[in-house]
Amino acid sequence: MLIKGSRRYNLRHNTERTEQPEFGRMINGQGLGLVSEMRYGICHMSFNGCEVIAVHNALVSLGKPQRLSDIAFYMERFRVLMGFFGCNAYCLGRALKHFGADCKRSRTTDGAKSFIVTYWTKKPFLSSIHTVFCMRTEKGIMVYNNYNNCPNVRIYQNVEDFAGKRKPVAIYITDTDVQ
């Protein structure tokens, strides 16, 4: 018997009971479509799956796509309070490295072509955190999975435009500009 919310229960739910999102495509809007029905910890990914989705999007951008259910299964070991608070943001680098991606933790996004950033949505410790994957382009910073019901990529001029003026919780550089 599997316990609801356990790693094995969620893996079975995500692979047998839920149709998979299209393989190798970026994910936007964790509260939309097939992703919202998948489970992470004790909740559906529509509530707490942003870290899993950010790692997925980073791997897709690096040409190392993995099934979202496999990423979620691996990252279950880093969940916070049975996954109610999502994943430990300081363990995202481990997940990226596990799936073959080079990354480094940083204090700033300077010189980064692509990166994952975790930030407080409002006041630190009194609100939730959100994690997104970003790519720097000529037009600005493309933010994937910007918020729960956003089906499209959003473009901002800098990190403060979407994350606020507070210092980000964690930043992982996944690709740097060639100089």
Side-chain angles (χ1 to χ4, degrees):
M1 181 173 126
L2 295 174
I3 299 169
K4 192 171 188 174
S6 69
R7 291 178 71 206
R8 299 263 180 230
Y9 175 89
N10 289 345
L11 179 63
R12 189 176 86 196
H13 175 86
N14 292 343
T15 55
E16 295 175 8
R17 296 182 185 167
T18 306
E19 192 175 335
Q20 296 290 305
E22 190 174 336
F23 185 78
R25 298 212 52 195
M26 300 292 247
I27 295 174
N28 281 301
Q30 70 191 61
L32 303 172
L34 300 172
V35 175
S36 67
E37 300 168 15
M38 296 180 81
R39 295 189 61 84
Y40 180 74
I42 60 172
C43 304
H44 285 94
M45 279 201 205
S46 60
F47 180 74
N48 65 351
C50 60
E51 292 91 1
V52 175
I53 293 167
V55 168
H56 172 272
N57 287 341
L59 292 169
V60 169
S61 79
L62 293 169
K64 300 175 184 234
Q66 300 289 322
R67 289 179 19 177
L68 187 62
S69 57
D70 294 339
I71 296 169
F73 180 70
Y74 178 77
M75 291 180 68
E76 288 268 359
R77 64 186 67 199
F78 307 125
R79 61 191 185 179
V80 178
L81 194 61
M82 296 186 296
F84 185 76
F85 290 120
C87 177
N88 181 344
Y90 300 112
C91 294
L92 299 180
R94 285 190 205 169
L96 288 165
K97 288 176 182 173
H98 174 79
F99 291 106
D102 289 329
C103 69
K104 71 174 187 169
R105 196 151 155 232
S106 178
R107 293 180 186 262
T108 179
T109 62
D110 295 342
K113 183 177 172 185
S114 63
F115 54 93
I116 293 175
V117 62
T118 300
Y119 58 92
W120 292 101
T121 57
K122 293 182 183 154
K123 288 190 179 248
F125 302 105
L126 298 176
S127 67
S128 60
I129 62 171
H130 188 52
T131 303
V132 294
F133 171 72
C134 306
M135 290 178 65
R136 197 177 307 274
T137 67
E138 296 153 359
K139 295 179 183 178
I141 298 173
M142 296 173 57
V143 179
Y144 293 86
N145 194 35
N146 191 42
Y147 54 89
N148 209 11
N149 295 318
C150 182
N152 303 314
V153 174
R154 302 289 300 258
I155 298 177
Y156 296 93
Q157 292 309 305
N158 56 52
V159 174
E160 291 80 26
D161 288 347
F162 65 88
K165 303 250 184 253
R166 293 170 298 282
K167 180 181 165 201
V169 175
I171 298 171
Y172 288 92
I173 308 290
T174 58
D175 198 5
T176 57
D177 288 330
V178 178
Q179 299 187 5

